[in-house]
Amino acid sequence: MNYKNIEDKLKEMLPEKRLKHSRSVSQCAVKLSKIYDCDIEKAKIAGLIHDCAKYFNDEQVEYSIKKFNIKLDPLEENNLALSHSIIGSYIIKDVFNIEEEDIINAVKYHTTGRENMTLLEKIIYMADLIEDGRKFPLVDELRELTYGGKLDEALLLSFNNTIKYVIERNQLIHPRTVSARNYLLKEIQ
Ligand SMILES: [Fe+2]
Ligand SMILES: [Fe+2]
C-alpha cells in the first residue's frame, strides 16, 4: 500500500485529531531521516501508521490478540495506551500488507522504546513526541536535541522524563523503558 491508500484506510480507524497527529509524525520522521540518513520512505509510512490500533474497541483488541496469538505482558494487558503499539505491529502486516521488519518494529516499540533500538525505531519514537502539534514542558528542548543531531541524547532525556513522570504519579513503569534508558546511558557514556 502506498501513503494515500494507507491514509484512506486510517480514516476509517482513527478520529481526525489522531489522523492529523499521524500525518505530522510522518512528516517529522521524514525530516529526521534526512538528518540521520535513514530510509525516507520507511520513515514516512511508519510515522503515518504507528497509531493505527490506538482506537480499537475491546472486541477488536480481543479479536486481534486471538487471531495473531499476541502475548501481552501484565502491564500491557487491558492497557491500550501501551498495547496499541504491540497490536498495531500485527495490524500493519495484516491490514496494510506491510512486511518490512524495520517498520513493524518501529511501530511495535514506539511507546516504550527498548534496548538497542534501530535508527528507524529511534526516529519514530522521537517524531511521535516532537511533531509540530505536540505541546508539553520539555518539547522545545527535545526538538532542539533531535533536530540538532543529538538523537540519542534526546531519547535519553525523554526516557528519563517518562520515568520521573510515572514515579511522581506512583504509576507502573514498563521495564522496556528502563532497559532502553539504561542501554542508552551506557552507550552515551
Ligand atoms: Fe502511539
Ligand atoms: Fe502517536
Side-chain angles (χ1 to χ4, degrees):
M1 275 193 185
N2 63 25
Y3 187 94
K4 182 77 180 69
N5 301 141
I6 293 171
E7 198 182 25
D8 286 343
K9 182 85 197 148
L10 281 177
K11 283 178 188 161
E12 299 162 12
M13 302 170 79
L14 299 175
E16 184 50 39
K17 170 183 135 238
R18 183 62 46 176
L19 196 58
K20 197 176 159 204
H21 160 73
S22 303
R23 289 189 197 104
S24 190
V25 172
S26 174
Q27 283 164 11
C28 180
V30 167
K31 282 189 220 165
L32 296 179
S33 294
K34 289 175 185 166
I35 297 173
Y36 294 102
D37 200 18
C38 190
D39 187 311
I40 291 173
E41 213 35 53
K42 282 183 184 174
K44 189 176 172 183
I45 298 296
L48 180 65
I49 215 166
H50 78 284
D51 272 339
C52 67
K54 182 106 178 172
Y55 289 81
F56 270 20
N57 59 34
D58 293 349
E59 234 171 275
Q60 289 171 304
V61 168
E62 210 168 300
Y63 176 82
S64 309
I65 288 173
K66 278 209 184 109
K67 181 171 181 187
F68 307 115
N69 193 22
I70 302 173
K71 304 268 185 277
L72 295 178
D73 65 34
L75 266 78
E76 290 160 348
E77 233 170 273
N78 299 313
N79 183 359
L80 197 57
L82 281 180
S83 67
H84 75 276
S85 50
I86 308 291
I87 295 168
S89 73
Y90 291 88
I91 297 300
I92 65 168
K93 203 168 181 178
D94 189 57
V95 177
F96 298 89
N97 301 317
I98 289 171
E99 300 281 351
E100 289 98 330
E101 207 55 33
D102 251 20
I103 300 182
I104 290 170
N105 284 332
V107 170
K108 195 169 194 171
Y109 298 110
H110 84 263
T111 42
T112 58
R114 66 162 167 171
E115 254 182 52
N116 199 9
M117 291 165 82
T118 65
L119 180 57
L120 186 64
E121 288 169 31
K122 289 176 181 178
I123 284 178
I124 298 303
Y125 185 94
M126 283 317 300
D128 189 26
L129 288 179
I130 65 162
E131 56 94 351
D132 289 352
R134 292 288 203 192
K135 285 187 193 82
F136 58 94
L138 212 61
V139 76
D140 288 330
E141 202 176 330
L142 289 174
R143 282 185 184 128
E144 222 177 281
L145 288 170
T146 311
Y147 288 117
K150 296 191 166 145
L151 184 60
D152 283 347
E153 284 81 353
L155 276 155
L156 183 60
L157 179 61
S158 144
F159 290 139
N160 281 343
N161 189 52
T162 302
I163 292 167
K164 276 187 223 162
Y165 181 93
V166 292
I167 287 176
E168 275 163 17
R169 279 154 193 79
N170 212 24
Q171 294 168 353
L172 294 164
I173 298 176
H174 199 285
R176 267 202 305 274
T177 305
V178 178
S179 306
R181 182 257 180 193
N182 288 346
Y183 185 91
L184 212 51
L185 186 62
K186 270 194 263 170
E187 268 219 327
I188 289 172
Q189 286 172 348

